Amino acid sequence: MTLKKWMKRWGLGIRGKLWKMMKCMRSGEQLRLDDMASSSESLATRDYSVSYSSQAAGVDTKVENSNIEEAESSLRESGYLNYEEARALLGRLEYQKGNIEAALHVFEGIDIASVSSKIKASLSRRCEQQNRRRSQSDTAPPMSMHAISLLLEAIFLKVKSLQGLGLFEEAAQSCKMILDTIESALPEGLPESVSSDCKLQDILNKAVELLPELWKLAGSPQEAILSYRRALLYYWNLDTETTSKIEKEFAVFLLYSGCDASPPNLRSQVEESFVPRNNIEEAILLLLILLRKFAVKKIEWDPTIMYHLSFALSVSGEQRTLAHQVEELLPGIMERRERYSILALCYHGEGEEMIALNLLRNLLRNRGNPDRVLELLVASKICAKNMVCVEEGISYASRALSELHGRCNQMASVANHLQGILLSTQSRSVASDSERISKQSEALEMLEHAEKLTIERDPSIIFHLSLENAEQRKLDAALHHAKQLLKLEAGSSVRSYILLARILSAQKRFVDAENVINTALDQTGKWDQGELLRTKAKLQIAQGQLKNAIETYTRLLAIIQVRTKSLGAGKNLARNRRNSNRSLEMEAWHDLANVYTSLSQWRDAEVCLSKSKTLSPYSASRWHSTGLLYEAKGLHQEALKAFKAALDVEPNHVPSLVSTACVLRRLGSQSIPIIRTFLTDAIRLDKTNHSAWYNLGLLYKADPSSSVLEAAECFEAAAFLEDSAPVESFR
C-alpha cells in the first residue's frame, strides 16, 4: 500500500499516527490492526511489547519531534515504518534521554544479524553498474539510504550503551559488526553515492574511531592494533582530522602500551616498499606521516607529535634522523632554545660531541634565557669527556649550581657530580704535585656532596666515588663503595663487577677478583662477556697462569667474531656496539701477542699482530706490542723503530714512551736528558705508572750528576704504585 493511499484510507496526518505509535511503544500497548494497514513488515503485525517503564512521563518535545521527523522520512521513502526502524527510533529516544539501560533493552530487540544482512545486500545492489540486469528472483527492493543510516545508528547507539555500562568486549563486537557489514558490502571502499550520505558517514567516522578504544578498554591490545590498522588501510572516506587523530593515537599506543605488535600484513603494496617490522618503526612511520601533513598544511601543528617522535627515534638509536626532522621544521614552529637543546642532545647521542657543544655554546651565550640549568649540565657533561674543554666544563657546572640557588637537590647533585668528574680529569693534567693533590681532594669532596644530596642512592655517583678513591689509592674506601654499588644494582652492571675485580687485584687478592669475574660471567649473557673475559685473562696472567689466559682470550675472540656477524651491516642501532667490538678485539689480539711473546712463541705472536693489523693498520698499541716482540728477540733497533711508529700515531702513548726510554737506556746511544724527557713525559701523562717511576729511578742512579735522594724517591713511588697497581687501569 502506498503512502498516499494509506493516508487517504485512514484520514490522519502522518504526524498524528506517529505520535500514537510512539506513545503505544513507550506505554507497552499494541497498535490495533484497524488502526494501521496490515503488512508483513509493519509494526502492527508484530507481537511487540516493551517490558520496561519510561523514566519520565513527559517526553522532551524537541527530542520527540526529531524522532517523528525520522519516522516521517522513512514513511515517505518506503511507505511503511518496519519493526526494526521503529525500535531504532525509540531506542535513540531513550538514549538521548539518558536511559541507557532502557535504550539497550530496546536495541536488543533488533535482530542485528538479519539487519546487517539486509544492509549488506542493499549497499551491494546500490553500487552495481546501472546497466547490469538483476535476476528475476531478486524482487525485494533495496533499503533506502535513510533506513540504512537509521539502523546503523541504532547499532552504534547500542555500542555506546554497552560502553556506558562497562561491557566493553560486547561493545567492541557490536562496533566491529558495523565495520564488517560495510567492508563486506563495499570491499573496494565507499563510493560517492554512499559517502555522500552525511549521517551514514558520521556514524562510520565515529565507529572507526571508537573500535580501537573499546578493544583497549576490553584488555585486548592485539585486537586494538588490528582495528587501528583497519581504520587506516581501508577506504572509509574519513576526513583528514579524524584520520590524523587515529594515526596519533595508534602511534602513542604502539610506543607506550608494552604490547608487541606483529608486522602488518598488507593486502597490496608497491614492490620494495617499506613495511615496519616492530612497534617503534610503525610508530615512527605514523608520526612522520603526521609531520608531512603539517608541512603541506593539512593539519594544525601539534607539539606532542614531536615529543613522541623524539622518544621513538631516541629509543631506536636514530638521533641523527631526529636531528634532521627538527632542522626541517619551519621557523617559528619550535622555540629557538627547544630546537637547539634537542639538536644538541641528538648530536651528543650520535657521538658528535663538538657539534653538540657548539650548539649549546650558541644557546648559552644568550644571557636573556633564564633557567638554563639543563643546557649547562649537558654542556658540562660533554666537556668532561674532552681534556681540552675541562676548564669550560667546570665553569658550566659552576653556573648551573649558582642558578639553582638550592632550589632542587637532585639537579644540584647532578651538577656536583659533574664538577667532581671534571676536577678529577683536570687533576690528571696539572704539572704541580700540590695542585694535583688539591684537585683530587676537591673532586672527592664534590662527589661525596653529590651523594648526600640525592634522595635515593645514585649508582653513577657511587661508581665515580669508588673510581676516584681507587685512583687515589684509597683502596679500602674504593672497595666499600664498589660493594655498595654491586648491591645497589643487584649485579645488573658489568662495569661494577669489573671495577670491584680491579680493586681486589690492586690489593693482590687475585683469587677473590677472579671469583667476582666468574660470578659476573654466570649472570651475564654471552654477548656482554667481552670485558669480563679480558679482565679474567689479565688476572690469570698476574697469577702466572699463561695457558689458562690463552684459553680465555680464545674464548673472548670467538664470542666477538660471532657477535660481529650477528649484528649485520647497515644497522644504525648496532653501530656503537660494532665499534666497541672492534676495539675490544684489537686489544685482545695485542694482549695475546704479549702473552706469546713472554712464552717466546714468536710465530704465534706474529700471527696475532697480523690479525690486529687487518682491523686497524694504524694502532699505537699494535706497534707497541710489535716493539715488545722485537725487544724480546734482542732486536733493539727494530724495537726502537716500532716504538717510534707508535708515538707517531699517538704521541701521548704512555707505554711506548716508557719502552722507548728503556731501549735507549740499554743501547746507551742517547744522552740521559733525552731519556729522562721520555720518562717524565710518561709520568706527566700517567702519574700512577710504576714502570716509568722505576726506570726514572734507575736513570737517576746511573747519572753521576743526580742525587741518590732523587733515585730513592723514584724507587719509593714505584714500589708504592706497583704494590697497589690493578691488573688493568681503574678507568
Side-chain angles (χ1 to χ4, degrees):
M1 181 182 293
T2 65
L3 175 62
K4 188 175 181 181
K5 289 180 180 179
W6 184 85
M7 291 175 68
K8 284 181 178 179
R9 177 174 178 179
W10 299 105
L12 293 171
I14 293 173
R15 186 171 293 269
K17 287 294 179 184
L18 289 174
W19 270 108
K20 189 171 184 179
M21 182 192 304
M22 301 299 275
K23 287 178 179 179
C24 288
M25 292 179 72
R26 284 195 299 273
S27 63
E29 299 174 3
Q30 288 184 313
L31 289 176
R32 295 193 304 275
L33 290 176
D34 60 352
D35 284 340
M36 293 201 61
S38 71
S39 169
S40 61
E41 292 295 326
S42 71
L43 181 65
T45 60
R46 302 291 180 95
D47 182 17
Y48 171 67
S49 176
V50 181
S51 60
Y52 66 93
S53 60
S54 178
Q55 280 189 346
V59 181
D60 183 87
T61 305
K62 186 176 180 181
V63 174
E64 286 191 347
N65 285 342
S66 173
N67 283 278
I68 290 167
E69 286 168 6
E70 291 284 350
E72 279 188 38
S73 179
S74 294
L75 285 169
R76 288 195 183 97
E77 289 188 13
S78 61
Y80 57 85
L81 184 66
N82 67 24
Y83 177 79
E84 284 82 9
E85 292 171 21
R87 272 195 174 267
L89 287 168
L90 184 59
R92 185 173 71 179
L93 177 63
E94 294 296 343
Y95 183 83
Q96 288 172 339
K97 288 162 59 181
N99 302 334
I100 295 178
E101 292 185 9
L104 182 59
H105 189 85
V106 176
F107 290 135
E108 284 177 344
I110 300 174
D111 186 353
I112 292 181
S114 173
V115 167
S116 298
S117 179
K118 291 175 185 177
I119 293 173
K120 191 186 305 180
S122 298
L123 287 174
S124 298
R125 284 183 223 152
R126 284 180 175 276
C127 295
E128 287 177 351
Q129 296 294 334
Q130 294 297 323
N131 59 357
R132 181 179 174 185
R133 293 183 179 181
R134 296 189 178 90
S135 63
Q136 296 298 320
S137 60
D138 189 12
T139 57
M143 296 172 66
S144 67
M145 288 303 298
H146 181 82
I148 291 171
S149 300
L150 182 63
L151 293 170
L152 285 176
E153 182 191 34
I155 300 173
F156 181 74
L157 291 178
K158 179 184 177 181
V159 170
K160 295 294 290 182
S161 300
L162 289 166
Q163 182 188 11
L165 295 171
L167 304 171
F168 303 121
E169 188 168 352
E170 292 90 331
Q173 294 291 354
S174 296
C175 191
K176 184 174 180 290
M177 185 172 287
I178 297 175
L179 305 186
D180 287 344
T181 301
I182 301 298
E183 191 171 1
S184 59
L186 307 169
E188 299 301 321
L190 273 68
E192 289 185 8
S193 59
V194 175
S195 60
S196 60
D197 187 296
C198 296
K199 187 170 184 180
L200 176 60
Q201 185 65 58
D202 184 55
I203 294 167
L204 285 177
N205 286 5
K206 291 176 180 176
V208 168
E209 191 176 348
L210 180 62
L211 183 56
E213 297 300 321
L214 291 173
W215 283 125
K216 287 192 284 185
L217 291 169
S220 301
Q222 291 299 335
E223 291 292 342
I225 289 168
L226 292 175
S227 299
Y228 274 124
R229 287 173 178 166
R230 182 183 192 179
L232 297 173
L233 294 176
Y234 182 75
Y235 182 69
W236 298 108
N237 197 29
L238 304 176
D239 58 87
T240 305
E241 184 179 348
T242 303
T243 304
S244 300
K245 185 179 179 183
I246 292 171
E247 287 168 343
K248 179 185 169 183
E249 289 174 353
F250 187 22
V252 170
F253 184 72
L254 288 168
L255 287 174
Y256 312 115
S257 67
C259 171
D260 289 328
S262 56
N265 183 16
L266 302 181
R267 290 175 293 184
S268 61
Q269 63 188 73
V270 180
E271 188 177 353
E272 296 183 356
S273 62
F274 173 74
V275 178
R277 295 167 295 180
N278 51 49
N279 292 39
I280 301 295
E281 287 188 358
E282 193 166 1
I284 290 171
L285 178 61
L286 291 165
L287 293 167
L288 289 175
I289 290 171
L290 289 169
L291 272 186
R292 183 59 56 88
K293 286 182 180 179
F294 164 72
V296 296
K297 299 183 178 179
K298 285 187 176 181
I299 60 172
E300 295 293 325
W301 172 244
D302 181 358
T304 61
I305 294 172
M306 207 64 216
Y307 300 153
H308 297 310
L309 184 61
S310 300
F311 172 77
L313 290 172
S314 299
V315 168
S316 61
E318 293 286 352
Q319 289 93 341
R320 191 177 294 276
T321 304
L322 175 59
H324 291 163
Q325 292 298 325
V326 173
E327 288 166 348
E328 288 174 2
L329 288 176
L330 296 173
I333 297 301
M334 188 178 288
E335 289 185 4
R336 179 176 178 269
R337 172 181 171 179
E338 186 179 7
R339 184 191 292 264
Y340 274 51
S341 295
I342 291 176
L343 288 174
L345 289 171
C346 288
Y347 286 113
H348 172 53
E350 284 290 319
E352 301 283 354
E353 304 291 6
M354 292 313 298
I355 296 176
L357 186 58
N358 285 331
L359 286 164
L360 291 169
R361 283 168 175 164
N362 289 333
L363 184 62
L364 294 171
R365 284 195 192 106
N366 185 0
R367 295 281 180 177
N369 287 333
D371 193 22
R372 298 159 296 158
V373 175
L374 176 62
E375 289 80 7
L376 287 167
L377 292 178
V378 174
S380 179
K381 182 180 178 182
I382 294 171
C383 290
K385 299 178 181 179
N386 191 335
M387 291 290 291
V388 178
C389 307
V390 170
E391 289 283 353
E392 185 180 1
I394 291 172
S395 70
Y396 288 141
S398 299
R399 283 172 61 186
L401 284 170
S402 64
E403 288 196 14
L404 282 167
H405 299 300
R407 287 178 297 161
C408 177
N409 284 345
Q410 286 299 109
M411 295 289 277
S413 173
V414 173
N416 277 286
H417 182 196
L418 289 170
Q419 189 84 305
I421 294 171
L422 286 158
L423 288 167
S424 175
T425 304
Q426 190 182 45
S427 71
R428 295 194 294 274
S429 61
V430 295
S432 165
D433 283 346
S434 60
E435 189 179 357
R436 174 175 56 83
I437 292 169
S438 173
K439 295 289 183 186
Q440 286 179 337
S441 177
E442 194 177 349
L444 207 53
E445 185 180 339
M446 284 288 184
L447 291 170
E448 288 170 351
H449 188 51
E451 185 190 17
K452 290 176 184 176
L453 288 173
T454 53
I455 298 172
E456 295 181 359
R457 309 204 72 183
D458 186 338
S460 181
I461 295 175
I462 297 174
F463 174 83
H464 283 101
L465 264 173
S466 179
L467 181 62
E468 187 61 31
N469 276 293
E471 288 200 323
Q472 294 184 31
R473 294 303 192 264
K474 299 175 180 178
L475 297 180
D476 289 337
L479 184 63
H480 171 72
H481 288 298
K483 288 180 176 179
Q484 279 189 328
L485 178 63
L486 205 62
K487 184 178 179 181
L488 183 63
E489 294 179 333
S492 61
S493 174
V494 169
R495 72 171 187 172
S496 301
Y497 279 112
I498 291 174
L499 178 60
L500 177 58
R502 289 175 182 174
I503 293 169
L504 289 169
S505 72
Q507 294 179 327
K508 308 309 174 192
R509 295 165 60 182
F510 299 118
V511 175
D512 291 339
E514 193 171 351
N515 288 336
V516 168
I517 295 298
N518 288 333
T519 301
L521 289 169
D522 290 339
Q523 298 180 9
T524 307
K526 278 194 174 182
W527 290 165
D528 299 318
Q529 291 182 355
E531 287 291 348
L532 291 169
L533 288 171
R534 187 174 182 226
T535 302
K536 181 176 180 177
K538 289 288 185 77
L539 289 167
Q540 290 168 334
I541 293 170
Q543 296 174 77
Q545 302 169 3
L546 300 185
K547 290 185 178 180
N548 291 342
I550 291 171
E551 290 177 5
T552 304
Y553 278 122
T554 303
R555 179 182 168 190
L556 165 60
L557 291 166
I559 289 175
I560 292 174
Q561 187 176 12
V562 174
R563 185 169 68 176
T564 302
K565 288 181 179 178
S566 69
L567 288 173
K571 292 183 180 179
N572 291 330
L573 187 61
R575 181 172 57 252
N576 291 336
R577 179 163 284 189
R578 285 201 304 274
N579 292 338
S580 175
N581 281 350
R582 179 171 295 182
S583 175
L584 182 60
E585 185 178 2
M586 280 179 54
E587 293 306 319
W589 283 121
H590 300 157
D591 292 346
L592 196 52
N594 294 340
V595 173
Y596 284 129
T597 297
S598 65
L599 292 171
S600 301
Q601 296 181 17
W602 318 129
R603 180 58 188 160
D604 291 329
E606 289 168 358
V607 170
C608 292
L609 292 171
S610 66
K611 293 283 188 182
S612 167
K613 189 175 182 179
T614 60
L615 293 171
S616 176
Y618 306 105
S619 166
S621 181
R622 183 180 67 80
W623 280 114
H624 180 253
S625 294
T626 303
L628 293 178
L629 176 60
Y630 284 134
E631 191 176 4
K633 289 180 177 181
L635 305 173
H636 295 295
Q637 290 296 339
E638 286 78 0
L640 198 58
K641 290 178 183 177
F643 296 139
K644 185 178 182 299
L647 293 172
D648 287 340
V649 174
E650 188 179 331
N652 292 334
H653 192 248
V654 173
S656 296
L657 288 170
V658 176
S659 295
T660 301
C662 291
V663 173
L664 289 174
R665 188 173 58 80
R666 288 194 187 98
L667 290 173
S669 58
Q670 295 291 336
S671 63
I672 289 177
I674 293 175
I675 299 172
R676 186 189 298 121
T677 300
F678 281 107
L679 293 172
T680 52
D681 283 348
I683 291 171
R684 177 179 55 81
L685 293 167
D686 180 11
K687 292 179 173 60
T688 62
N689 191 302
H690 62 88
S691 180
W693 283 106
Y694 175 73
N695 281 284
L696 185 60
L698 291 177
L699 192 67
Y700 282 139
K701 183 181 177 182
D703 183 8
S705 62
S706 300
S707 67
V708 178
L709 181 59
E710 286 179 315
E713 287 176 350
C714 289
F715 289 138
E716 186 180 359
F720 170 75
L721 291 171
E722 187 177 17
D723 246 7
S724 56
V727 292
E728 285 184 285
S729 172
F730 290 116
R731 194 169 293 278

